[in-house]
Amino acid sequence: MAQDLGTDLAADFGSDPLTLYGTKFSSRLIAGTARYPSPAILSRAILAAKAEIVTVSLRRESGGGRAGERFWALIRDLGVRVLPNTAGCSSVREAVTTAQMAREVFDTSWIKLEVIGEEDSLQPDVFGLVEAASILTREGFQVFPYTTEDLVAAEKLLGAGCEVLMPWGSPIGSGRGLNNPYGLKSLRAHFPHVPLIIDAGIGAPSHAAVAMEMGFDAVLTNTAIAKAGDPVNMARAFALAVEAGRTGYRADLMQARDMAAPSTPVMGRAFSDLARA
Amino acid sequence: MHIYVNGKVLDVTAATLAALLRELDYEDAAVATALNHDFVRKCDRGTTPLKEGDAVEILAPRQGG
């Protein structure tokens, strides 16, 4: 991990870029834009999170309203990169059409591809996901598939042309953190050079820190910030946690062990020559 | 002519998708369109005819996770 011992890896955070489809970012925290108490708090939270990428969506406009334009203007003013999603789509056709529409409105070939297969858990339909990813990459999209920790699905998504994967931590909006650390560690180990972004289920800054310590490249969170009592300060906490987790990972964590190992030197302990009673 | 717009039945006079957007006051809005589940590019709206029973989606930017 750390090449030069003692280099200030935290101060060096900005020179450890996250590269997604050839674009480099200094922030490893991606923020959702939904469920905030107000547009003003959303803006302040995105700034506090130091996020350079935010997720957005497309929804039906009604009655000649221009709510969509006001939101889009707010996001443009933040100067961040947008990652449109296909949230809520449950079929390949819906997801592909939504992605095509998003590309035109948001003027980006990036798409966070969601094909939901089960309503209670909002678990990705990995079969539909692979099919939709294949179609979209052929059409020139740069696909960020929201997937599970399934290794075979991951392999097929990469084969379909995805260069980034977004495995879930736990169900969307659940705040349960990393439900399957073993599976996620396996995914990280199998694809050491693929950018892996933990998406969904993150509920606390500590969850984000753990994900980063495990070597994931970034974390996407929405509800944990937006629904906090103080979203702006929670955004700050997430920024710090992601930075701490990444720096910890780069500093090379110690290996856990089953038995105690005294941290204070045993040699030279007073009374060590006396037998225990 | 009756068509579905974002899931609601509307009685419209527009003969094309572009005319429909004008009729509904979306002409210069930041929206994307689909007709019967297929994406229709902005540049193709003027040459995309509408017929009775068509389903049009008009989508705009929204908050997302």
Side-chain angles (χ1 to χ4, degrees):
Chain A
M1 269 13 98
Q3 299 301 308
D4 298 315
L5 295 181
T7 298
D8 187 342
L9 295 175
D12 191 40
F13 191 65
S15 63
D16 168 39
L18 168 69
T19 303
L20 302 172
Y21 285 103
T23 302
K24 294 183 188 302
F25 301 90
S26 58
S27 171
R28 291 173 178 270
L29 176 59
I30 300 171
T33 56
R35 309 187 71 185
Y36 281 85
S38 70
I41 292 177
L42 163 64
S43 292
R44 291 176 58 201
I46 297 301
L47 292 172
K50 300 178 185 173
E52 295 172 298
I53 303 169
V54 300
T55 51
V56 293
S57 71
L58 283 179
R59 286 292 180 266
R60 286 172 166 174
E61 193 70 282
S62 61
R66 297 297 172 100
E69 285 189 9
R70 289 192 293 275
F71 168 70
W72 184 213
L74 181 151
I75 295 299
R76 283 199 306 265
D77 286 346
L78 289 170
V80 291
R81 177 107 185 212
V82 295
L83 175 58
N85 67 30
T86 63
C89 292
S90 57
S91 72
V92 172
R93 189 178 186 189
E94 274 179 59
V96 167
T97 301
T98 303
Q100 292 166 333
M101 296 170 85
R103 178 162 62 178
E104 183 176 79
V105 168
F106 294 111
D107 193 24
T108 176
S109 60
W110 280 18
I111 191 74
K112 181 187 159 195
L113 182 61
E114 297 185 27
V115 182
I116 299 301
E118 203 279 320
E119 284 305 312
D120 289 331
S121 63
L122 298 179
Q123 179 168 335
D125 167 6
V126 294
F127 306 99
L129 190 64
V130 170
E131 186 181 343
S134 299
I135 294 168
L136 292 171
T137 53
R138 280 199 301 274
E139 292 187 9
F141 283 88
Q142 294 174 314
V143 178
F144 295 64
Y146 169 58
T147 185
T148 67
E149 64 273 45
D150 187 289
L151 297 178
V152 178
E155 191 73 63
K156 291 189 181 299
L157 287 166
L158 296 173
C162 299
E163 296 180 16
V164 177
L165 301 177
M166 301 186 79
W168 65 350
S170 50
I172 294 169
S174 70
R176 297 180 59 85
L178 308 182
N179 257 2
N180 182 5
Y182 169 78
L184 290 169
K185 281 180 187 172
S186 296
L187 186 70
R188 178 69 286 178
H190 272 75
F191 304 104
H193 304 299
V194 175
L196 300 178
I197 301 168
I198 293 291
D199 176 15
I202 295 295
S206 56
H207 298 156
V210 168
M212 297 306 294
E213 287 171 358
M214 288 167 65
F216 286 93
D217 295 277
V219 168
L220 192 165
T221 189
N222 188 155
T223 307
I225 295 175
K227 300 305 284 184
D230 180 345
V232 177
N233 273 303
M234 187 58 75
R236 285 192 189 102
F238 265 96
L240 291 167
V242 166
E243 188 172 334
R246 178 65 182 178
T247 304
Y249 169 73
R250 293 180 70 204
D252 199 3
L253 295 160
M254 66 168 280
Q255 294 297 310
R257 45 183 289 152
D258 291 331
M259 303 299 288
S263 49
T264 302
V266 174
M267 291 292 290
R269 181 175 60 84
F271 318 118
S272 59
D273 52 336
L274 299 178
R276 288 179 185 275
Chain B
M1 175 172 64
H2 293 88
I3 62 170
Y4 293 88
V5 177
N6 288 348
K8 292 181 181 173
V9 179
L10 295 183
D11 187 4
V12 300
T13 58
T16 66
L17 190 51
L20 176 70
L21 290 180
R22 278 196 298 277
E23 189 171 332
L24 299 178
D25 195 26
Y26 289 126
E27 188 177 13
D28 57 349
V31 295
T33 51
L35 176 62
N36 299 326
H37 304 285
D38 290 326
F39 170 55
V40 179
R41 297 181 301 171
K42 187 174 184 177
C43 60
D44 293 332
R45 290 173 190 161
T47 55
T48 300
L50 297 177
K51 63 179 187 309
E52 179 78 19
D54 274 346
V56 173
E57 292 285 341
I58 303 171
L59 303 188
R62 278 292 190 284
Q63 298 84 350

